[in-house]
Amino acid sequence: MKPLMLQGHQRAITQIKYNREGDLIFSSAKDSKPCVWYSLNGERLGTFNGHIGAVWCVDVDWTTTRLITGAGDMNTFLWDVETGTALGKIPCNSSVRTCNFSFSGNQASYSTDRAMNHPCELFVIDVRNIDSSISSADPVLKLTMNEQQSKITSMLWGALDETVITGHENGSLRIWDLRAVKELNSVNDHTASITDMQMSSDGTMFVCSSKDCSAKLFDSDSLMCLKTFKTERPVNSACISPLFEHVALGGGQDAMEVTTTSTQAGKFDSRFFHLVYEEEFARVKGHFGPINSMAFHPDGKSFATGGEDGFVRLQVFDSSYYEHTFE
């Protein structure tokens, strides 16, 4: 199980995403140049040049033709994946923290931070015919978060593109009805900022990681908390295996608190838990700093992690992973 080290970013990785087939990996980092790689051999295909600030989020649509990125330079970019050219650029009032394509790929959503007297806002845009006019076009929908709802730190599209699920800095989860433009439900199961949310392959549930040192599994319709996976460090990212009932967690302390002994102490391992029994059964070492983002390959036979050290690591599971059974 020798990992592939993808070295192309100068600074910390912020998010990684596989496309639907799993042959490409898209990574964003604090160095303003999102990259695309072959997942089979780790070869870098190219970069998307245009941002001038840290890129916080990246997403690719299901046909792998379009890419959306949001950055600290207060811009959301839409790209042509094949050529790497920017199709459109949307200026915002503050940093863009999250962005996602809807399941159909017809719409995309992004959220901005609360900063410089601007509230945190969630936008939904139509991305079927993108051209340069998108920078001045009105969004399909705009939701403004009030003081109690706090900043959006993570976001997912719900079923049939009718809802959006948002995770907030105060640990709350909210589900929004886009047609009625109202909040349907909210829960406060986490006690600290939500760092990442990833849907299961069938869309019925999602895993949510948080700085309160735990990750939780939620039902994507009712937001009922189903399972809790506890660790002793903040969890920055979590994902659900499409193949087995496994959940992988990645994290570590904040970059400021990192000491030289942390690597030996196993503080930056990818940790694997059983989805049903909530028991940890494996750890994978590798990064020299906290893991900021991780994702399973769509076939479930490998996974990728992106760390504060600027590396993306690809790990293919060996045969013992498939033979492992719970007593």
Side-chain angles (χ1 to χ4, degrees):
M1 190 168 162
K2 191 169 188 307
L4 286 172
M5 301 272 286
L6 313 190
Q7 189 175 7
H9 289 288
Q10 260 85 48
R11 295 185 61 202
I13 308 289
T14 52
Q15 196 169 26
I16 50 176
K17 286 265 174 84
Y18 280 97
N19 65 342
R20 189 175 59 117
E21 290 81 17
D23 59 335
L24 299 177
I25 295 177
F26 296 87
S27 60
S28 64
K30 293 181 183 173
D31 62 2
S32 78
K33 287 188 174 63
C35 292
V36 55
W37 319 75
Y38 278 124
S39 63
L40 187 66
N41 55 8
E43 181 190 341
R44 183 162 76 164
L45 274 168
T47 58
F48 298 90
N49 301 331
H51 282 294
I52 50 170
V55 182
W56 292 117
C57 52
V58 61
D59 195 24
V60 59
D61 68 357
W62 68 280
T63 55
T64 321
T65 49
R66 307 251 174 87
L67 189 77
I68 184 170
T69 55
D73 60 10
M74 306 199 291
N75 284 312
T76 301
F77 271 85
L78 288 146
W79 312 84
D80 184 312
V81 170
E82 190 179 2
T83 61
T85 51
L87 299 170
K89 166 179 156 182
I90 306 167
C92 305
N93 291 326
S94 55
S95 293
V96 182
R97 186 64 54 179
T98 65
C99 63
N100 276 317
F101 280 104
S102 69
F103 189 72
S104 67
N106 292 340
Q107 293 175 303
S109 58
Y110 61 94
S111 72
T112 58
D113 284 355
R114 190 171 77 215
M116 300 177 290
N117 296 330
H118 293 289
C120 169
E121 292 177 315
L122 172 68
F123 297 89
V124 176
I125 53 171
D126 190 317
V127 292
R128 275 173 288 199
N129 343 338
I130 310 171
D131 54 23
S132 55
S133 69
I134 198 165
S135 59
S136 53
D138 289 333
V140 179
L141 179 70
K142 179 166 117 179
L143 290 165
T144 304
M145 304 293 136
N146 58 29
E147 293 291 321
Q148 293 86 30
Q149 287 165 335
S150 88
K151 177 177 105 176
I152 296 175
T153 52
S154 190
M155 175 173 61
L156 286 173
W157 280 82
L160 300 174
D161 298 357
E162 290 170 0
T163 54
V164 164
I165 305 163
T166 54
H168 296 257
E169 199 169 32
N170 60 4
S172 63
L173 284 173
R174 297 170 195 278
I175 186 161
W176 304 87
D177 185 326
L178 298 181
R179 298 199 175 150
V181 196
K182 65 170 200 243
E183 185 182 315
L184 291 177
N185 192 5
S186 70
V187 293
N188 287 336
D189 286 297
H190 281 294
T191 55
S193 176
I194 285 169
T195 50
D196 187 24
M197 290 154 52
Q198 293 195 34
M199 205 54 96
S200 62
S201 53
D202 59 1
T204 54
M205 53 192 178
F206 64 93
V207 66
C208 186
S209 62
S210 167
K211 291 194 172 162
D212 64 6
C213 305
S214 73
K216 292 178 191 278
L217 191 71
F218 291 93
D219 182 271
S220 53
D221 282 337
S222 64
L223 296 188
M224 188 173 101
C225 182
L226 305 170
K227 298 286 174 188
T228 302
F229 311 97
K230 292 192 177 73
T231 70
E232 56 284 351
R233 290 179 296 283
V235 186
N236 295 337
S237 189
C239 49
I240 303 173
S241 167
L243 200 57
F244 297 116
E245 294 180 329
H246 294 164
V247 174
L249 273 55
Q253 317 111 298
D254 285 337
M256 294 190 296
E257 298 164 13
V258 171
T259 61
T260 48
T261 55
S262 292
T263 319
Q264 283 89 17
K267 299 222 164 148
F268 309 131
D269 300 356
S270 310
R271 305 173 65 161
F272 288 81
F273 287 78
H274 194 279
L275 185 82
V276 182
Y277 305 132
E278 305 179 5
E279 286 177 19
E280 185 179 352
F281 64 88
R283 290 191 184 190
V284 179
K285 287 189 166 58
H287 285 283
F288 300 107
I291 293 172
N292 291 338
S293 182
M294 64 190 306
F296 271 103
H297 190 285
D299 67 5
K301 294 178 180 173
S302 61
F303 72 101
T305 54
E308 190 73 27
D309 53 10
F311 289 106
V312 177
R313 292 175 71 95
L314 292 181
Q315 303 261 7
V316 179
F317 294 115
D318 47 22
S319 56
S320 61
Y321 174 76
Y322 305 101
E323 293 154 10
H324 177 79
T325 52
F326 270 82
E327 299 303 325

